[in-house]
Amino acid sequence: MWGRKQQVRIEPTPGDAPEAERLKDALRKARVEQAERSGVVVDLHDAEVARLEVLNESLDPLFQQIPANVDMFDRGISRGETPRLWIDAIAHVGMGRDKRVYRFAQDTRYGRKVLAESVNVGEMVDAVTKYLAQRLIERERALADVSPPYIRDLRQEARFDRRRRRWRAIKAFLFGLLVGFATLIAAALLFGPKT
C-alpha cells in the first residue's frame, strides 16, 4: 500500500495511432475556434470604442461652446474592459448589454443613476446638453453666493446652540429653585412645631 507501485507500460498498438491524430486535430480545431471567439470579443470591444468615438465627435460643437474659464468638464474615452466616454468626474456614457444602446449614467452617493438611454446619437447629445446646462447652473449658483454656505450655516448653528444652552441653564436653575422651595415646605411641615 505505501510502497512504490510498479509502472506498467502500455505499448501502443497500430490501431491507436489514428485516435491520437484525431485528438490532436480536435485540440487544434478547439484552439482555432477559441482564438476566433476571442477575436470576436476584441472586435466587439473595438466596435464599442468606435461607437463612443462617434458620440465624442458629435459632442465637439457642444463642448466648444463652454466658456474657457470653466474647467469642470474633462471629456475623454477610457479604453478599459468596459470602454466609457467620460463627460466629467461623475458622469459617463457607456454601451448597454447589447452593445448598440448608449447609456448615460451619473455616479451619486447612493449608487449609479441612469440619466438617459438611446440608440440614437442625437438623443444622447441632447441628454448630455441638458446635463451640462444643469451643471453650469449649479456652478453659477455656487459662485454667486458671497459667503460659502458651510460657514454661514456654522455661524447660525453656533448661535442656535448658545441659545439652547442658555435656556437649558435657566430651566435647570428654575427647576432647582422649585425643588428646593418644595423641599423646604415639606421639611417645615414635617419637622415644624406641633401645636
Side-chain angles (χ1 to χ4, degrees):
M1 180 170 154
W2 298 103
R4 285 189 161 178
K5 294 185 180 182
Q6 294 180 353
Q7 293 183 355
V8 179
R9 294 191 73 180
I10 300 174
E11 296 292 325
T13 59
D16 290 339
E19 288 181 19
E21 291 297 320
R22 278 192 272 160
L23 181 60
K24 285 183 182 178
D25 289 338
L27 284 172
R28 188 177 311 118
K29 286 180 183 177
R31 286 188 181 116
V32 168
E33 288 174 1
Q34 186 177 14
E36 287 175 355
R37 273 189 297 235
S38 66
V40 168
V41 170
V42 169
D43 289 343
L44 285 174
H45 185 269
D46 291 343
E48 280 184 74
V49 172
R51 287 182 59 92
L52 290 172
E53 286 175 349
V54 167
L55 178 62
N56 191 21
E57 289 172 3
S58 61
L59 288 173
D60 282 340
L62 175 66
F63 276 87
Q64 288 173 355
Q65 295 175 6
I66 295 175
N69 62 349
V70 176
D71 60 349
M72 59 191 283
F73 301 110
D74 189 20
R75 185 175 52 135
I77 295 177
S78 64
R79 299 176 187 267
E81 186 176 325
T82 56
R84 294 181 176 147
L85 170 61
W86 289 93
I87 305 301
D88 61 4
I90 59 173
H92 65 272
V93 178
M95 301 306 294
R97 291 190 187 272
D98 63 353
K99 311 298 183 205
R100 293 182 320 196
V101 176
Y102 293 105
R103 180 175 290 146
F104 183 36
Q106 179 182 18
D107 294 328
T108 64
R109 278 183 233 167
Y110 307 109
R112 188 165 288 161
K113 179 181 170 186
V114 176
L115 301 175
E117 278 186 327
S118 177
V119 180
N120 190 355
V121 174
E123 291 177 12
M124 289 309 295
V125 170
D126 292 341
V128 171
T129 303
K130 180 180 174 185
Y131 173 76
L132 293 179
Q134 290 172 349
R135 290 293 303 239
L136 287 171
I137 289 172
E138 288 174 8
R139 179 181 179 275
E140 287 174 4
R141 285 184 182 165
L143 292 176
D145 194 9
V146 175
S147 66
Y150 55 88
I151 293 175
R152 186 180 62 233
D153 290 343
L154 287 177
R155 288 179 187 161
Q156 290 175 349
E157 186 67 31
R159 268 191 239 126
F160 182 70
D161 193 40
R162 282 193 300 264
R163 286 182 195 150
R164 191 176 2 175
R165 279 187 274 145
R166 190 177 308 135
W167 277 108
R168 199 176 288 159
I170 290 171
K171 286 178 187 177
F173 176 74
L174 291 176
F175 181 72
L177 215 71
L178 184 65
V179 169
F181 186 66
T183 305
L184 281 175
I185 291 176
L189 290 176
L190 287 174
F191 302 114
K194 295 186 182 183
T195 48

